[in-house]
Amino acid sequence: MPRRARLLLIEGVPGLGKSTVLDCLLRTHVVGAEERRVRTLLHLTQAHTFGPLAPAADAGTLTREENVEHLERVVELLEWLADSVEGEAVTKCFALVDTLHLTHCLRPGAVAWGDVEPYDRRLAAAGCGLVLLDAEDATIRARSVEARADTPFIRDYMLRRLVAHPSELVPYFVAERDEFRRMFERSAMRKAALPAELPLDELMAAAHVFWVEGG
């Protein structure tokens, strides 16, 4: 039986438009709701899902235990949101999550799939859907690297911590994309892989149906 809450997690390589899609989903949900019928609406940004790990990750001291403890907090919150509305006659809880356990396996990399799989199963049991924003190599080159070449993420993080030369950026993100695809296939969550190459209105519409209608 479908869960009453509508929870959605979006994962994928940086720069493909995850935050843009989430912003469109939030605006569409609020504008489309009847007056005084927005109900519970939660948006966990990367400041919530990744930010608490960043200081230790930047210092090179983040441990598996600390990463797992953070995942426990986030997943417990989402489970509580889902469980608390199960007795309602209509859906009153909507949540959007900008990256979580799949991204943690890659950055900062203190955990592996075996560490996060129990949380994947718990999210599936809570009714959380998973959207993977997928992309071809050329799109990754254009959006993840070339369009963000002078951003702090590329300049101060990627080029100082993860790769030695700009020529390594595209292969790095392509390898990340391939690992996202492998983890997506292993996930127990209700899931959909959406091409980042789709026009934004089509991409958002597909994600919205998946989130709100459960299909």
Side-chain angles (χ1 to χ4, degrees), residues 78-95:
L78 295 173
E79 288 174 327
W80 178 79
L81 286 171
D83 291 343
S84 63
V85 297
E86 274 303 285
E88 298 289 340
V90 295
T91 299
K92 292 185 178 179
C93 178
F94 297 84

PDB file of all heavy atoms in Angstrom, residues 78-95:
ATOM      1  N   LEU A  78      12.893  11.724   8.426  1.00  0.00           N
ATOM      2  CA  LEU A  78      12.008  11.395   7.316  1.00  0.00           C
ATOM      3  C   LEU A  78      11.053  10.265   7.687  1.00  0.00           C
ATOM      4  O   LEU A  78       9.873  10.285   7.294  1.00  0.00           O
ATOM      5  CB  LEU A  78      12.831  11.031   6.085  1.00  0.00           C
ATOM      6  CG  LEU A  78      13.680  12.172   5.509  1.00  0.00           C
ATOM      7  CD1 LEU A  78      14.595  11.659   4.402  1.00  0.00           C
ATOM      8  CD2 LEU A  78      12.797  13.298   4.996  1.00  0.00           C
ATOM      9  N   GLU A  79      11.531   9.292   8.440  1.00  0.00           N
ATOM     10  CA  GLU A  79      10.647   8.215   8.906  1.00  0.00           C
ATOM     11  C   GLU A  79       9.552   8.770   9.795  1.00  0.00           C
ATOM     12  O   GLU A  79       8.378   8.360   9.688  1.00  0.00           O
ATOM     13  CB  GLU A  79      11.462   7.159   9.660  1.00  0.00           C
ATOM     14  CG  GLU A  79      12.345   6.308   8.770  1.00  0.00           C
ATOM     15  CD  GLU A  79      13.237   5.376   9.558  1.00  0.00           C
ATOM     16  OE1 GLU A  79      13.659   5.751  10.686  1.00  0.00           O
ATOM     17  OE2 GLU A  79      13.528   4.278   9.057  1.00  0.00           O
ATOM     18  N   TRP A  80       9.900   9.685  10.702  1.00  0.00           N
ATOM     19  CA  TRP A  80       8.909  10.273  11.589  1.00  0.00           C
ATOM     20  C   TRP A  80       7.860  11.052  10.802  1.00  0.00           C
ATOM     21  O   TRP A  80       6.656  10.950  11.061  1.00  0.00           O
ATOM     22  CB  TRP A  80       9.592  11.188  12.604  1.00  0.00           C
ATOM     23  CG  TRP A  80       8.604  11.857  13.514  1.00  0.00           C
ATOM     24  CD1 TRP A  80       7.983  11.321  14.603  1.00  0.00           C
ATOM     25  CD2 TRP A  80       8.116  13.195  13.390  1.00  0.00           C
ATOM     26  NE1 TRP A  80       7.129  12.243  15.157  1.00  0.00           N
ATOM     27  CE2 TRP A  80       7.193  13.387  14.442  1.00  0.00           C
ATOM     28  CE3 TRP A  80       8.373  14.234  12.490  1.00  0.00           C
ATOM     29  CZ2 TRP A  80       6.526  14.601  14.615  1.00  0.00           C
ATOM     30  CZ3 TRP A  80       7.704  15.440  12.667  1.00  0.00           C
ATOM     31  CH2 TRP A  80       6.795  15.619  13.718  1.00  0.00           C
ATOM     32  N   LEU A  81       8.303  11.827   9.808  1.00  0.00           N
ATOM     33  CA  LEU A  81       7.358  12.568   8.982  1.00  0.00           C
ATOM     34  C   LEU A  81       6.385  11.622   8.283  1.00  0.00           C
ATOM     35  O   LEU A  81       5.181  11.882   8.226  1.00  0.00           O
ATOM     36  CB  LEU A  81       8.111  13.395   7.942  1.00  0.00           C
ATOM     37  CG  LEU A  81       8.843  14.640   8.442  1.00  0.00           C
ATOM     38  CD1 LEU A  81       9.701  15.211   7.328  1.00  0.00           C
ATOM     39  CD2 LEU A  81       7.857  15.681   8.934  1.00  0.00           C
ATOM     40  N   ALA A  82       6.916  10.527   7.740  1.00  0.00           N
ATOM     41  CA  ALA A  82       6.065   9.577   7.030  1.00  0.00           C
ATOM     42  C   ALA A  82       5.110   8.863   7.969  1.00  0.00           C
ATOM     43  O   ALA A  82       3.913   8.733   7.684  1.00  0.00           O
ATOM     44  CB  ALA A  82       6.934   8.560   6.279  1.00  0.00           C
ATOM     45  N   ASP A  83       5.614   8.412   9.103  1.00  0.00           N
ATOM     46  CA  ASP A  83       4.778   7.652  10.041  1.00  0.00           C
ATOM     47  C   ASP A  83       3.685   8.515  10.672  1.00  0.00           C
ATOM     48  O   ASP A  83       2.582   8.033  10.942  1.00  0.00           O
ATOM     49  CB  ASP A  83       5.643   7.045  11.147  1.00  0.00           C
ATOM     50  CG  ASP A  83       6.553   5.938  10.639  1.00  0.00           C
ATOM     51  OD1 ASP A  83       6.296   5.423   9.528  1.00  0.00           O
ATOM     52  OD2 ASP A  83       7.525   5.603  11.339  1.00  0.00           O
ATOM     53  N   SER A  84       3.973   9.787  10.900  1.00  0.00           N
ATOM     54  CA  SER A  84       3.044  10.643  11.638  1.00  0.00           C
ATOM     55  C   SER A  84       1.784  10.983  10.853  1.00  0.00           C
ATOM     56  O   SER A  84       0.794  11.423  11.444  1.00  0.00           O
ATOM     57  CB  SER A  84       3.735  11.936  12.082  1.00  0.00           C
ATOM     58  OG  SER A  84       4.141  12.697  10.956  1.00  0.00           O
ATOM     59  N   VAL A  85       1.783  10.786   9.528  1.00  0.00           N
ATOM     60  CA  VAL A  85       0.596  11.136   8.729  1.00  0.00           C
ATOM     61  C   VAL A  85      -0.099   9.911   8.156  1.00  0.00           C
ATOM     62  O   VAL A  85      -1.024  10.032   7.364  1.00  0.00           O
ATOM     63  CB  VAL A  85       0.961  12.106   7.580  1.00  0.00           C
ATOM     64  CG1 VAL A  85       1.484  13.419   8.139  1.00  0.00           C
ATOM     65  CG2 VAL A  85       1.974  11.477   6.628  1.00  0.00           C
ATOM     66  N   GLU A  86       0.309   8.721   8.582  1.00  0.00           N
ATOM     67  CA  GLU A  86      -0.277   7.509   8.003  1.00  0.00           C
ATOM     68  C   GLU A  86      -1.776   7.405   8.264  1.00  0.00           C
ATOM     69  O   GLU A  86      -2.509   6.820   7.476  1.00  0.00           O
ATOM     70  CB  GLU A  86       0.441   6.266   8.539  1.00  0.00           C
ATOM     71  CG  GLU A  86       1.684   5.902   7.763  1.00  0.00           C
ATOM     72  CD  GLU A  86       1.416   5.673   6.290  1.00  0.00           C
ATOM     73  OE1 GLU A  86       0.861   4.623   5.936  1.00  0.00           O
ATOM     74  OE2 GLU A  86       1.738   6.559   5.478  1.00  0.00           O
ATOM     75  N   GLY A  87      -2.241   7.962   9.370  1.00  0.00           N
ATOM     76  CA  GLY A  87      -3.661   7.858   9.679  1.00  0.00           C
ATOM     77  C   GLY A  87      -4.522   8.929   9.043  1.00  0.00           C
ATOM     78  O   GLY A  87      -5.740   8.939   9.223  1.00  0.00           O
ATOM     79  N   GLU A  88      -3.903   9.834   8.275  1.00  0.00           N
ATOM     80  CA  GLU A  88      -4.658  10.926   7.665  1.00  0.00           C
ATOM     81  C   GLU A  88      -5.447  10.439   6.448  1.00  0.00           C
ATOM     82  O   GLU A  88      -5.027   9.516   5.743  1.00  0.00           O
ATOM     83  CB  GLU A  88      -3.705  12.048   7.233  1.00  0.00           C
ATOM     84  CG  GLU A  88      -2.940  12.684   8.370  1.00  0.00           C
ATOM     85  CD  GLU A  88      -3.824  13.546   9.260  1.00  0.00           C
ATOM     86  OE1 GLU A  88      -4.905  13.954   8.803  1.00  0.00           O
ATOM     87  OE2 GLU A  88      -3.437  13.789  10.422  1.00  0.00           O
ATOM     88  N   ALA A  89      -6.554  11.114   6.180  1.00  0.00           N
ATOM     89  CA  ALA A  89      -7.387  10.737   5.035  1.00  0.00           C
ATOM     90  C   ALA A  89      -6.831  11.274   3.727  1.00  0.00           C
ATOM     91  O   ALA A  89      -7.094  10.722   2.658  1.00  0.00           O
ATOM     92  CB  ALA A  89      -8.811  11.249   5.245  1.00  0.00           C
ATOM     93  N   VAL A  90      -6.069  12.369   3.802  1.00  0.00           N
ATOM     94  CA  VAL A  90      -5.468  12.955   2.603  1.00  0.00           C
ATOM     95  C   VAL A  90      -3.982  13.179   2.872  1.00  0.00           C
ATOM     96  O   VAL A  90      -3.542  13.227   4.026  1.00  0.00           O
ATOM     97  CB  VAL A  90      -6.129  14.298   2.225  1.00  0.00           C
ATOM     98  CG1 VAL A  90      -7.588  14.076   1.839  1.00  0.00           C
ATOM     99  CG2 VAL A  90      -6.017  15.303   3.358  1.00  0.00           C
ATOM    100  N   THR A  91      -3.220  13.324   1.806  1.00  0.00           N
ATOM    101  CA  THR A  91      -1.785  13.552   1.950  1.00  0.00           C
ATOM    102  C   THR A  91      -1.526  14.938   2.518  1.00  0.00           C
ATOM    103  O   THR A  91      -1.968  15.936   1.954  1.00  0.00           O
ATOM    104  CB  THR A  91      -1.077  13.402   0.591  1.00  0.00           C
ATOM    105  OG1 THR A  91      -1.281  12.072   0.115  1.00  0.00           O
ATOM    106  CG2 THR A  91       0.412  13.672   0.716  1.00  0.00           C
ATOM    107  N   LYS A  92      -0.821  14.992   3.634  1.00  0.00           N
ATOM    108  CA  LYS A  92      -0.548  16.272   4.289  1.00  0.00           C
ATOM    109  C   LYS A  92       0.943  16.511   4.518  1.00  0.00           C
ATOM    110  O   LYS A  92       1.307  17.445   5.220  1.00  0.00           O
ATOM    111  CB  LYS A  92      -1.295  16.346   5.622  1.00  0.00           C
ATOM    112  CG  LYS A  92      -2.811  16.422   5.488  1.00  0.00           C
ATOM    113  CD  LYS A  92      -3.453  16.617   6.853  1.00  0.00           C
ATOM    114  CE  LYS A  92      -4.965  16.741   6.726  1.00  0.00           C
ATOM    115  NZ  LYS A  92      -5.602  16.904   8.052  1.00  0.00           N
ATOM    116  N   CYS A  93       1.786  15.677   3.982  1.00  0.00           N
ATOM    117  CA  CYS A  93       3.222  15.827   4.221  1.00  0.00           C
ATOM    118  C   CYS A  93       3.988  15.619   2.927  1.00  0.00           C
ATOM    119  O   CYS A  93       3.900  14.556   2.300  1.00  0.00           O
ATOM    120  CB  CYS A  93       3.692  14.829   5.275  1.00  0.00           C
ATOM    121  SG  CYS A  93       5.461  14.909   5.589  1.00  0.00           S
ATOM    122  N   PHE A  94       4.736  16.626   2.517  1.00  0.00           N
ATOM    123  CA  PHE A  94       5.552  16.572   1.312  1.00  0.00           C
ATOM    124  C   PHE A  94       6.982  16.967   1.680  1.00  0.00           C
ATOM    125  O   PHE A  94       7.189  17.949   2.395  1.00  0.00           O
ATOM    126  CB  PHE A  94       5.019  17.534   0.252  1.00  0.00           C
ATOM    127  CG  PHE A  94       3.631  17.212  -0.226  1.00  0.00           C
ATOM    128  CD1 PHE A  94       2.519  17.652   0.485  1.00  0.00           C
ATOM    129  CD2 PHE A  94       3.429  16.462  -1.369  1.00  0.00           C
ATOM    130  CE1 PHE A  94       1.237  17.361   0.063  1.00  0.00           C
ATOM    131  CE2 PHE A  94       2.147  16.160  -1.800  1.00  0.00           C
ATOM    132  CZ  PHE A  94       1.053  16.603  -1.085  1.00  0.00           C
ATOM    133  N   ALA A  95       7.963  16.201   1.210  1.00  0.00           N
ATOM    134  CA  ALA A  95       9.362  16.503   1.538  1.00  0.00           C
ATOM    135  C   ALA A  95      10.244  16.285   0.314  1.00  0.00           C
ATOM    136  O   ALA A  95      10.059  15.320  -0.436  1.00  0.00           O
ATOM    137  CB  ALA A  95       9.848  15.632   2.691  1.00  0.00           C
TER     138      ALA A  95
END
